[in-house]
Each structure stands twice: as structure tokens, then as C-alpha cells.
Amino acid sequence: MFEIIRLENTAIKLYVFLTDVESIENQINNIYDKLENELGTTFNIIIDSFLRSGYEFNRFIEIKFKNGKYAGSVVVNNDYIIDEIKKMTDNILKSNINLLENSVFSKKE
């Protein structure tokens, strides 16, 4: 499952936050279907897989669609992700602490 998160006053207007630990590959078509009307058939979108990856290098992934088809993905270095995305994810987690129960994190973390 995932949520499409909207940002204001930033170059990136939206991103996808995965709300479970399900594989991104299993959700690609659903992500495309949710964004096609707004973004067209060719677009790139940032995916935040924090609940699945934690603070690992592969937390952020850019998914690419071209002419309605999945065209690949690339891991994006955390340093290249705008702070607003990280802050928004933090706010989501603080508001929905139960999301952490089904994450890769241990109870202690």
C-alpha cells in the first residue's frame, strides 16, 4: 500500500510514501494508475520506502514511466532528496505511529 503525498512550495509537487513493507515491484502498476490522470503517461516519481528500508542507502527510489509503461528505476542518494520530503514522512509517522508496527524496525528502534 502507499499514499501519494502532496508538497507545497517545492520543486517536487508530490511523492509516494510506501505504507507497508510490500515490494515496490508489486505496486508499480497501482502507482502508475493513481498518477496517470495528473501526470500523464510519461513521468518520474520519487518513492520513499522508509518502512521497508529504514535509513539505508536504498530508501529513496525514482521510478520512471514512459508512454504508459514502466521504464526503470534508480536508487536516489539521500543527499539529493529535498528536506521537505523527509520532514513530511516524519510528520506522517508521528501522526500514524502504528505504521511502524509493520515495518522493518524492531520494537527497540
Side-chain angles (χ1 to χ4, degrees):
M1 302 203 43
F2 61 90
E3 287 185 41
I4 297 169
I5 309 300
R6 299 188 183 285
L7 301 170
E8 296 181 21
N9 304 317
T10 64
I12 296 174
K13 297 298 178 197
L14 47 91
Y15 73 101
V16 174
F17 175 66
L18 299 183
T19 57
D20 61 22
V21 294
E22 184 179 342
S23 165
I24 294 172
E25 292 79 13
N26 293 337
Q27 301 184 68
I28 286 177
N29 291 333
N30 292 334
I31 291 170
Y32 175 81
D33 291 343
K34 290 281 186 180
L35 294 171
E36 176 189 17
N37 287 338
E38 187 169 347
L39 300 177
T41 60
T42 300
F43 61 89
N44 298 354
I45 188 76
I46 297 292
I47 309 290
D48 186 347
S49 64
F50 180 78
L51 294 175
R52 192 179 88 152
S53 305
Y55 293 105
E56 296 294 323
F57 75 95
N58 60 342
R59 172 182 173 182
F60 294 103
I61 300 166
E62 183 177 32
I63 303 279
K64 301 173 185 186
F65 296 98
K66 186 172 183 180
N67 298 321
K69 304 239 188 264
Y70 171 70
S73 61
V74 62
V75 173
V76 179
N77 185 310
N78 186 43
D79 294 339
Y80 296 115
I81 298 297
I82 61 173
D83 287 336
E84 287 80 357
I85 289 177
K86 297 170 202 169
K87 288 176 188 173
M88 184 63 80
T89 294
D90 286 346
N91 290 338
I92 291 168
L93 292 172
K94 287 175 185 172
S95 299
N96 300 290
I97 200 77
N98 61 325
L99 289 173
L100 293 172
E101 292 175 5
N102 296 318
S103 71
V104 297
F105 297 104
S106 68
K107 296 256 186 224
K108 182 179 178 182
E109 290 175 302

